[in-house]
Amino acid sequence: MTSPVTARDRAKAERSDAILHAAARLFAARGYSGVSLEDIGAAVGVSGPAVYRHFAGKQALLGAVLVKVSQDLIRGGRQVSEETPTPDERMRALIGFHVEFALGNAEVIQVQGRDVAFLSETDRAEVRRLQRAYIELWMAALSPLHATPGGGADQDELRLRVQACFGLINSTPHSTRAAARRHSATATVLIAMADAALRATT
């Protein structure tokens, strides 16, 4: 039997979430090395040492940020894949999901691309494992669209297409202004470009 969630538990969870969001924002703006625990604490109205009540340190906080974004991507990607019946719809749905995620989480996507080297070995391995699983999910969705009469699609080519597509989508949010990211036309253009890149014939 599980214990009931108390108001104190909820308050602690909310503070942890606030710390995570503040850390992602500051890491994106200044880089991991340019941010201290005091900076992160100040952003949510607590002292630097108070952050230790939620996370073991700055490196653990970075790990929590990047492991969470990787978990969110694989969880969302799997849900999208399970809900779409045909290969064509599945691929389009995955593209739409990733574009929406990247535009809505520009700061953490930027941290993911730049500060992985600062993770602990354990967190780095977990992030890489989740990233591989997400890439393989996309490769499985893309494979039927490039299958040849004599057999399946080339796996190296599928991986190249997927990684190039991620590069296109992930680089756009932090190279555009916030107002542009919120504009529906931005997502429409990104989705069309990503779809064309994935389906291009050689």
Side-chain angles (χ1 to χ4, degrees):
M1 182 176 178
T2 59
S3 301
V5 177
T6 65
R8 183 176 180 180
D9 293 332
R10 286 193 294 271
K12 184 175 182 180
E14 289 171 1
R15 179 55 56 84
S16 293
D17 286 343
I19 291 171
L20 280 175
H21 285 112
R25 185 176 68 254
L26 290 171
F27 290 153
R30 306 180 195 173
Y32 176 79
S33 299
V35 178
S36 67
L37 278 182
E38 287 71 22
D39 296 329
I40 297 168
V44 295
V46 302
S47 66
V51 176
Y52 285 105
R53 298 174 190 165
H54 303 270
F55 300 95
K58 189 172 77 164
Q59 188 181 49
L61 187 48
L62 177 68
V65 169
L66 295 188
V67 169
K68 183 179 184 302
V69 69
S70 299
Q71 290 172 335
D72 289 346
L73 281 169
I74 189 67
R75 186 183 302 114
R78 284 172 175 163
Q79 182 176 346
V80 164
S81 294
E82 291 167 0
E83 292 175 350
T84 46
T86 69
D88 188 69
E89 292 173 327
R90 188 172 300 118
M91 196 71 261
R92 291 183 186 278
L94 279 172
I95 294 169
F97 161 73
H98 194 98
V99 167
E100 181 180 358
F101 189 94
L103 292 176
N105 298 272
E107 290 164 342
V108 74
I109 291 291
Q110 184 175 0
V111 175
Q112 184 187 46
R114 185 186 59 201
D115 291 329
V116 169
F118 295 105
L119 289 172
S120 68
E121 289 187 12
T122 299
D123 284 337
R124 188 183 305 117
E126 178 64 4
V127 167
R128 295 303 189 200
R129 183 188 70 79
L130 291 165
Q131 288 177 338
R132 285 195 299 271
Y134 188 58
I135 290 170
E136 289 165 2
L137 178 72
W138 274 61
M139 290 172 62
L142 183 60
S143 182
L145 305 181
H146 286 281
T148 61
D154 180 85
Q155 295 300 297
D156 289 338
E157 181 181 320
L158 291 177
R159 188 178 301 277
L160 174 63
R161 287 177 183 271
V162 169
Q163 291 179 323
C165 180
F166 289 171
L168 167 68
I169 297 172
N170 292 346
S171 66
T172 302
H174 54 81
S175 64
T176 55
R177 294 174 302 189
R181 292 197 297 271
R182 291 192 295 268
H183 199 288
S184 60
T186 301
T188 301
V189 170
L190 266 180
I191 289 170
M193 292 177 67
D195 189 63
L198 288 169
R199 296 172 189 267
T201 58
T202 56

